[in-house]
Amino acid sequence: MSNKIKIVIADDHVLIAETWATLINLDPAYQVIKVYDNTQSLLDEVADLQPQIVILDINIAPISGLDAVKLIRDKSPASRTIGVSMHNQPSFAKRMISNGAMGYVTKNSTKDEMYKAINEVMEGKTYICAEIKNRITQNILMEDDESARLNSLTDREIDIIKLLKEGCTTEEIAEKLF
């Protein structure tokens, strides 16, 4: 019996799924045992196959990967899911993880990053690809810029904003602030 990590891949773009399978199988530690082009076939067989890793596209039919991850956990609790998408918005990764996936990579991720995701997820860790981490960092920095701009307002500017929020006209604001 092989000690290879058993993996299934589900993506409705067959060429992409088969390419991933080929790339993943290049590493002797892994064995892609099945490729699916829809979630229904995956869900029908996942309990029997008991893969250690499920690589699941989030935009797949008939049940989206975002929803299928919960069903996979019910049918094969030991299987660990890695969500894959062309979307690099952190909200997709967050939803996938909150639904039970243990990893998230984008279709811009490298083969080596996919290997790293598989290994970390197999160790029980949550894995988020570099592209998503970079987007999160950018979002945080942009938020800091916005709050920094707000913090740099003068007291007079803050008073004007308050009066504008109260619905005052420019004439009324001028009168109240002299």
Side-chain angles (χ1 to χ4, degrees):
M1 184 69 188
S2 168
N3 286 334
K4 292 183 177 196
I5 296 170
K6 293 190 317 179
I7 301 170
V8 297
I9 299 172
D11 190 300
D12 56 346
H13 295 95
V14 177
L15 180 60
I16 289 174
E18 289 176 350
T19 302
W20 286 340
T22 301
L23 290 172
I24 290 168
N25 282 332
L26 289 174
D27 189 307
Y30 313 125
Q31 180 184 10
V32 176
I33 56 174
K34 190 101 185 217
V35 174
Y36 296 94
D37 65 359
N38 69 83
T39 43
Q40 191 58 59
S41 299
L42 167 65
L43 291 168
D44 290 345
E45 297 179 7
V46 74
D48 293 331
L49 290 177
Q50 293 290 308
Q52 291 159 288
I53 298 285
V54 176
I55 297 173
L56 178 64
D57 184 19
I58 69 169
N59 294 323
I60 189 170
I63 301 165
S64 80
L66 291 165
D67 296 324
V69 68
K70 295 175 189 172
L71 301 170
I72 292 166
R73 286 181 61 98
D74 291 344
K75 293 175 178 281
S76 181
S79 296
R80 297 172 177 176
T81 302
I82 298 172
V84 181
S85 177
M86 63 182 185
H87 300 293
N88 66 1
Q89 293 90 349
S91 58
F92 285 99
K94 182 178 179 182
R95 184 162 168 214
M96 195 71 177
I97 299 295
S98 68
N99 285 355
M102 291 188 65
Y104 189 92
V105 297
T106 66
K107 291 185 179 179
N108 290 327
S109 297
T110 64
K111 169 187 63 147
D112 290 336
E113 189 163 39
M114 180 64 86
Y115 291 164
K116 185 174 181 182
I118 293 167
N119 292 331
E120 291 209 10
V121 166
M122 282 300 297
E123 291 173 11
K125 299 175 185 171
T126 300
Y127 184 84
I128 303 293
C129 71
E131 184 177 10
I132 297 293
K133 287 178 184 175
N134 289 339
R135 286 291 301 263
I136 291 168
T137 303
Q138 286 173 348
N139 291 349
I140 290 169
L141 292 175
M142 286 187 339
E143 286 171 11
D144 286 349
D145 285 349
E146 288 170 17
S147 61
R149 284 195 305 268
L150 286 176
N151 290 334
S152 68
L153 293 174
T154 65
D155 289 341
R156 182 82 164 178
E157 290 168 330
I158 291 170
D159 290 339
I160 292 169
I161 291 170
K162 285 180 185 172
L163 292 170
L164 283 170
K165 283 178 66 178
E166 291 173 15
C168 295
T169 65
T170 52
E171 291 82 16
E172 292 169 330
I173 293 171
E175 231 176 84
K176 288 182 181 187
L177 297 179
F178 310 106

